[in-house]
Amino acid sequence: MTLSATQEQIINCIDNNATSSQWKDWKWQMRHSIKDLETFEALLDVKLSDKQRKAFGKAAKKFPISITPYYLSLINTEDIENDPVFLQSVPSPLELNIVKGDMSDPLHEDSDSPAPCVTHRYPDRVLLLVSNVCPMYCRHCTRKRKVGDEDTIPKRSAIEQGIRYIRNNPQIRDVLLSGGDPFLLPDDYLDWILSELRGIEHVEIIRIGTRTPVVLPCRITSNLVAILKKHQPVWVNTHFNHSREITQSARNALGMLADGGVPLGNQTVLLSGINDCPRIMKALVHKLVKNRVRPYYLYQCDLSEGLSHFRTPVGKGIEILESLIGHTSGFCVPTYVIDAPGGGGKIPVMPNYLISWSTNKVVLRNYEGVITTYKEPDSYEPTFCDRDCDSCDLLLKLEDADESKAIGIEQLLADDDQTISLVPSSNARHSRRKSET
Ligand SMILES: *Cc1c(COP(=O)(O)O)cnc(C)c1O
């Protein structure tokens, strides 16, 4: 694979003698990560205004910069301020706006930690933070409080304590490696962690959350895939936020993982000005499934400090789901979740499809706006119910009953009416039907 013109320009600027095989070496990429604005401007050959440089620099002091040369090369310099790659990687002065409701650790990951490196929130699964190193510092990081914080890199002894906690708690059947990025660990170290976890009988599956296929796709080497294969089932969740990120290099990395038998999922964060658009989201999920990646979660942006400019109303997420459900393949649709502040976990949010309900009928609406009914069974004996209905003494006094004709949803619910659906007059499917006859 040849390098793009921008990639040629960046590599020559970093090191005139560097070769394209060095460009594809993840350690070379890491060694040459962009950590300051001067380098950013030089490599991309762009000029920030003095005002921009000052404002971006101030934000970078609080929340540091790190961008791989590869990810940098995806920035479209023609329209830099609206570029999704730029917006996810370059600091904005808006990060310094701490608004009411912002929290340093909204998900209470630190307080829900019974052992070093472990967050234990759900009964049968835990988060194990094995790395604090990332190839790229996402501006929307939920763990922004830790970004660039060298002294929180877990020591081997801390990881061992975390693994011991998992070993001592037989209800844990699913372990999620996160960080930082677990794929930035050296191969043999990752192999060691996976071997330790595989040695625990009650650990059924291991999951790894990584952004390397997006920001450092050359990290997916055949040796890494062989390690994952050895310890299967290992599921990998990655983090694409925009279809622009699914480049040929990213597709190759995903292909290697999928060919290695690794089931792939994707977690997207809903970000204002980046992907808060039904059409962008649809393009993203279609491109993901074409590359054997199942969209898993769409996250409402967390309440971490410095993210206020990325947040959308929840309604934007609902609108996006409304434009996906029914309109495209079921497995293209992620579950939209709000990770509850205070550690309540992920809460799914959906458009409402259940419009109304009586004792024997459900009224539903579909993605087209057609309202329909589902008739429930006439007789149904629940296996077990402790409600004492024999003593129920609810009485209906008919004298005050409403005698008007049932219309709308109420009509669909009525036992003496044969109507099964209400169809909007502009429904295209029904118009087609009429023209056929
Ligand atoms: C997200 C998360 C999990 C995994 O949740 P799933 O819904 O099973 O993907 C587990 N533990 C913590 C602390 C999490 O934040």
Side-chain angles (χ1 to χ4, degrees), residues 28 31 50 69 80 178 181 234 272 275 292 316 424:
W28 185 93
R31 270 200 305 280
D50 286 347
I80 206 160
S178 185
D181 200 311
V234 178
S272 171
N275 59 15
R292 295 179 279 177
K316 182 49 80 175

Side-chain angles (χ1 to χ4, degrees), residues 327-367:
H327 297 271
T328 190
S329 322
F331 56 74
C332 287
V333 185
T335 304
Y336 176 40
V337 292
I338 303 178
D339 216 332
K346 299 173 187 74
I347 300 172
V349 233
M350 278 261 269
N352 290 323
Y353 291 94
L354 193 54
I355 291 180
S356 198
W357 214 338
S358 76
T359 55
N360 65 348
K361 252 191 232 181
V362 176
V363 181
L364 306 145
R365 61 96 175 174
N366 77 350
Y367 72 102

